[in-house]
Amino acid sequence: MHTLICGSIAYDTIMVFKDHFKNHILPEKIHILNVAFLVPDMRREFGGCSGNIAYNLQMIGGKPLIMATVGDDYQPYASRLQDLQLAQNHVRQVNGTFTAQAFITTDLADNQITAFHPGAMNFSHQNHVADAKDVNLGIVAPDGRDGMMQHAREFHEAGIPFVFDPGQGLPMFTGEELLDFVHKADYVAVNDYEGQLLCERTGRSLEALAKSVKGLIVTWGAEGSVIYANGQQVEVPSVKPEKLVDPTGCGDAYRAGLLYGITHDMDWRSTGQLGSLLGALKISQRGGQNHRFTRDEIDQRYFEIFGSRIL
C-alpha cells in the first residue's frame, strides 16, 4: 500500500545579496520603493512540499506517491524523480504554465525577500484522489486552494485517512473552511505559528481541535514538538543536529516521519521522535532534498539517540 502525497512541486531559486537590505532602502521613500540588488551567488533547488515529503519518506522505506501539477519547465525535476525512482504517474503537466517557484533573496543578516509564483499549482484540482490505487494514507499539503479542498473531500469520501497540513496555505481559508478540513481529516499537522493562526481563525483551542482528530501535531522547531492525542499531550524534544545550515524543508522531513509512523502503527512518541530525527538530518544541508542517508543509517541514528529501532 502507498501514501498519497497531494501538494506542490516547486523550484526554489535562492540568491545571496552580500550586504544588508537596510543599507539600500530609504525609510522615507518606502512609498516609492525601487531597488535592485546585485546577487553574485545563486542556486536552484528542487522543492515543493510534495516533492520534499516524498523524498524523505522513500529514504526511510515508505512508499510515497506524488500527486501534483507542474508546468512546461518540469523536465529537470522529472529527470531527478526518475533518478530517485519516485513514480510520476500522478504528476500532471499543465501546458502553458510554469512549475511553481519561489525566488528568494537573502542578505547577510538572513533577512529575506521572497516572490512566489504558483503557476501550475493553481490547477491542482485537475488531479483526483481516485486516480491513485492501493492507497491507505494520504496528506493534503500546501497546494492550490481548490485542489486542497477537493483532495480533502475526496480522501474523506473514499474513506482514506489523511493528514491535513495547511502550511503556508492556511491564510487562504476562512475559519469555517478550516473547521471543515479538520472534521474531514484524521490528523492535523502545523507549526507553532500556523497552530496559533488556526486557533484564531476557527475560534477553537488546540485541545478542542484535537478532539476532532486522532492526532494533532504542533512542531516548535528547535524546541521540539507536541502531539495532542487520546486526550493527552506527548512532548517530543528536538534532536540536536550536527550543524545548522538551512531550515528549508525541515517541516516536510518531519511530516515524512509522521506518515511513516502512522502507516507502521508506531506509538505517538516514537513517531514524533522519528520526525524530529529526520528534521535534524535535513537541517545540516542546504535545500529540501540534498541530505542523503540509507534506511540503515537512519535506524542506527535513531537507536543511538532513543535506544530502540524503527519499526
Side-chain angles (χ1 to χ4, degrees):
M1 300 296 281
H2 296 86
T3 300
L4 183 61
I5 304 172
C6 301
S8 60
I9 287 286
Y11 294 113
D12 296 328
T13 301
I14 303 161
M15 298 157 282
V16 179
F17 175 52
K18 295 188 176 181
D19 200 339
H20 296 82
F21 293 141
K22 66 180 182 181
N23 295 335
H24 299 266
I25 297 177
L26 302 176
E28 67 275 13
K29 298 293 184 180
I30 196 71
H31 62 292
I32 53 171
L33 185 64
N34 187 354
V35 296
F37 302 106
L38 178 66
V39 287
D41 295 336
M42 184 179 81
R43 70 180 191 276
R44 195 185 201 196
E45 302 286 359
F46 297 100
C49 296
S50 185
N52 291 344
I53 294 171
Y55 177 83
N56 285 278
L57 184 55
Q58 179 178 261
M59 194 161 54
I60 55 174
K63 296 182 178 180
L65 284 178
I66 297 173
M67 179 167 281
T69 44
V70 296
D72 297 331
D73 54 347
Y74 174 57
Q75 186 53 51
Y77 213 131
S79 297
R80 173 175 177 76
L81 294 181
Q82 183 175 357
D83 291 342
L84 292 170
Q85 298 183 339
L86 282 167
Q88 302 176 57
N89 308 54
H90 307 295
V91 178
R92 179 187 295 268
Q93 185 167 335
V94 182
N95 294 332
T97 68
F98 289 104
T99 300
Q101 43 202 294
F103 300 90
I104 306 165
T105 304
T106 303
D107 72 359
L108 294 180
D110 285 332
N111 296 307
Q112 291 186 335
I113 297 174
T114 300
F116 181 75
H117 175 68
M121 203 174 78
N122 285 333
F123 298 88
S124 59
H125 57 279
Q126 293 184 5
N127 283 325
H128 297 279
V129 168
D131 293 338
K133 306 304 179 185
D134 299 322
V135 172
N136 64 349
L137 180 66
I139 182 170
V140 176
D143 208 349
R145 172 185 160 84
D146 292 344
M148 291 179 71
M149 297 180 73
Q150 175 179 293
H151 295 150
R153 182 176 64 254
E154 291 176 344
F155 274 126
H156 181 67
E157 291 174 350
I160 299 172
F162 74 95
V163 178
F164 174 48
D165 171 27
Q168 65 266 33
L170 195 152
M172 296 190 296
F173 303 105
T174 65
E176 183 177 348
E177 289 168 337
L178 290 168
L179 280 176
D180 186 60
F181 273 116
V182 173
H183 290 151
K184 286 183 169 65
D186 295 81
Y187 313 93
V188 174
V190 291
N191 64 26
D192 56 333
Y193 175 80
E194 295 157 2
Q196 182 176 345
L197 183 57
L198 181 62
C199 291
E200 290 178 359
R201 286 283 174 94
T202 62
R204 310 284 179 87
S205 66
L206 290 173
E207 291 81 2
L209 291 168
K211 292 179 180 179
S212 298
V213 292
K214 296 178 182 177
L216 188 153
I217 300 89
V218 183
T219 58
W220 289 79
E223 297 180 22
S225 57
V226 178
I227 300 174
Y228 298 79
N230 305 316
Q232 299 180 333
Q233 296 181 30
V234 180
E235 297 185 2
V236 181
S238 63
V239 173
K240 185 177 181 180
E242 292 183 353
K243 53 183 177 180
L244 297 172
V245 176
D246 180 11
T248 304
C250 285
D252 295 330
Y254 185 103
R255 279 145 182 78
L258 173 64
L259 294 169
Y260 184 92
I262 293 171
T263 56
H264 288 78
D265 295 322
M266 294 171 63
D267 63 72
W268 282 116
R269 183 171 300 281
S270 299
T271 297
Q273 289 173 170
L274 178 57
S276 293
L277 173 58
L278 292 176
L281 295 176
K282 199 254 61 90
I283 204 171
S284 63
Q285 297 288 334
R286 294 194 179 278
Q289 300 178 23
N290 292 323
H291 55 299
R292 188 63 191 168
F293 298 89
T294 66
R295 172 63 164 72
D296 289 342
E297 288 171 339
I298 295 173
D299 185 64
Q300 182 60 30
R301 290 288 297 276
Y302 189 92
F303 177 76
E304 292 171 356
I305 297 169
F306 302 112
S308 58
R309 297 290 184 181
I310 302 170
L311 296 179

